[in-house]
Amino acid sequence: MKLSTKHLLGIKDLTKEDIQLILSTAINFKEVLQRPVKKVPSLRDVTIVNLFYENSTRTRISFELAEKRLSADTINFTVSGSSAAKGETLLDTVNNILSMKVDMVVMRHNASGAPHFLAKHIPAAIVNAGDGINEHPTQALLDAYSMQEKFGNIEGLKVAIIGDILHSRVALSNIYLLQKMGAEVIVCGPPTLIPTYITEALGVKVEYNIKKALQWCDVANVLRIQLERQNQPLFSSLREYNLAFGINKKLLDSLHKEIVIMHPGPINRGVELDSDVADGPYSIILNQVENGVAVRMAVLYLLANREQ
Ligand code: CP
């Protein structure tokens, strides 16, 4: 089976079958990662550039590890120390890198739509590693993989996405994916952090009461408050945000039910999640990070092997 797309620009462009193919391929790669020798020759002779115009810990390391586990050659680009800092355009930078016989581009950029722009101008396959406030497709895929691993199936699951929905590419990619896979999804957070697009165009329900949202869901996917993307205050203070929407052990204990806590990272400890929850028995946050490598191996493998 092959993916229906040449690039992975967003979950919006994928079919349900594409998502199922990536998740089932990732199961095989997760098995590879449990072996003493965690490496396969699948992408030998393929060269991949990791082009990061925005900070990252998990995604950048996860892609690089995935590439190395597939035996690809990898090169890493960050803005600091590059000629982008001297004003070189994105397209010039990428065309120069591709002229050195690079086959695929993994790209994070602070501008929404940057990978879509690039896809119109270069021949290489592009994987979006997060573009502005638009999409973070591999995060949604690894989140889906982690839910499927925990529950056996995504269809019918009740998922609450909680926090800064307005600035979150993780929220949008998760909503697209969960709706395509037949899960029920709601969002929860302050009204100023929930865009009307989510409710009006995508038909996602909103719950403003954190306890009711947690009572309803099987999975709480908790998002970081992205202060760096806020030009003006959208709620009174982090302390008040924590009082209204923060999740702590006392709140979870009051529910008298099992729940799965997810977070894409990085966590603002003491704001959206207290440490007794982030590090507690309901948290699968580090499983998500572990699964990210297998999921990204699957994405790179399928894109590299797709018939052109
Ligand atoms: N989840 C995520 O994208 O984390 P990084 O910003 O560290 O890559």
Side-chain angles (χ1 to χ4, degrees):
M1 281 180 73
K2 304 278 180 189
L3 292 176
S4 67
T5 59
K6 175 182 173 181
H7 309 284
L8 177 57
L9 300 179
I11 301 294
K12 191 178 184 180
D13 309 321
L14 296 185
T15 63
K16 183 176 178 180
E17 290 70 34
D18 289 330
I19 295 167
Q20 285 168 330
L21 177 59
I22 293 168
L23 297 183
S24 62
T25 306
I27 291 172
N28 298 330
F29 284 125
K30 182 147 183 192
E31 187 272 317
V32 168
L33 295 174
Q34 312 306 316
R35 296 179 194 164
V37 179
K38 306 170 183 58
K39 201 159 177 163
V40 284
S42 312
L43 295 196
R44 206 171 49 199
D45 301 327
V46 174
T47 305
I48 304 174
V49 61
N50 300 312
L51 202 64
F52 276 70
Y53 280 79
E54 196 187 75
N55 294 344
S56 169
T57 296
R58 279 145 292 272
T59 312
R60 190 161 58 85
I61 291 173
S62 182
F63 267 111
E64 190 177 348
L65 258 183
E67 291 152 9
K68 288 185 192 307
R69 303 297 194 215
L70 290 165
S71 304
D73 292 322
T74 67
I75 49 172
N76 293 307
F77 169 99
T78 51
V79 171
S80 69
S82 80
S83 289
K86 300 177 196 166
E88 188 169 45
T89 68
L90 171 64
L91 196 51
D92 278 344
T93 298
V94 175
N95 275 328
N96 277 270
I97 292 170
L98 293 182
S99 72
M100 294 182 248
K101 310 294 178 222
V102 170
D103 304 296
M104 292 176 76
V105 176
V106 172
M107 178 186 179
R108 169 169 288 192
H109 205 286
N110 54 7
S112 300
H116 307 71
F117 162 79
L118 209 53
K120 291 196 177 91
H121 293 94
I122 66 166
I126 299 172
V127 183
N128 180 2
D131 66 317
I133 60 168
N134 181 38
E135 281 223 45
H136 192 348
T138 58
Q139 180 68 45
L141 287 161
L142 75 87
D143 289 347
Y145 185 97
S146 304
M147 287 183 239
Q148 186 170 271
E149 189 174 61
K150 186 79 189 169
F151 292 96
N153 206 354
I154 297 169
E155 188 172 354
L157 266 186
K158 292 180 175 175
V159 182
I161 302 176
I162 299 166
D164 185 352
I165 313 296
L166 179 65
H167 300 103
S168 177
R169 54 199 177 205
V170 175
L172 195 54
S173 285
N174 262 272
I175 289 167
Y176 286 138
L177 187 147
L178 291 166
Q179 288 186 335
K180 283 176 200 251
M181 299 300 286
E184 285 184 70
V185 55
I186 65 167
V187 291
C188 175
T192 48
L193 292 182
I194 297 178
T196 51
Y197 171 72
I198 298 277
T199 51
E200 288 170 10
L202 300 181
V204 178
K205 293 200 177 90
V206 186
E207 173 55 70
Y208 295 109
N209 180 299
I210 183 73
K211 190 165 180 181
K212 283 186 184 165
L214 294 173
Q215 257 159 350
W216 173 83
C217 69
D218 303 304
V219 177
N221 197 351
V222 188
L223 304 179
R224 182 171 69 91
I225 296 297
Q226 300 194 38
L227 290 174
E228 76 276 17
R229 295 195 205 274
Q230 293 185 21
N231 298 324
Q232 57 190 35
L234 292 168
F235 50 88
S236 46
S237 69
L238 289 178
R239 178 163 164 67
E240 285 191 38
Y241 180 87
N242 177 254
L243 286 174
F245 294 100
I247 302 176
N248 55 38
K249 184 172 181 300
K250 191 173 162 205
L251 176 58
L252 291 190
D253 286 347
S254 75
L255 303 173
H256 303 294
K257 61 174 264 196
E258 295 223 349
I259 187 167
V260 168
I261 301 290
M262 299 174 63
H263 192 302
I267 303 168
N268 288 316
R269 287 178 183 261
V271 180
E272 67 265 5
L273 273 187
D274 280 10
S275 288
D276 54 13
V277 174
D279 307 325
Y282 295 134
S283 166
I284 62 163
I285 293 170
L286 292 180
N287 302 80
Q288 291 173 257
V289 178
E290 180 189 351
N291 291 334
V293 179
V295 166
R296 291 179 172 117
M297 286 172 79
V299 167
L300 294 167
Y301 171 80
L302 290 166
L303 288 178
N305 288 289
R306 185 178 168 274
E307 279 167 13
Q308 299 302 306

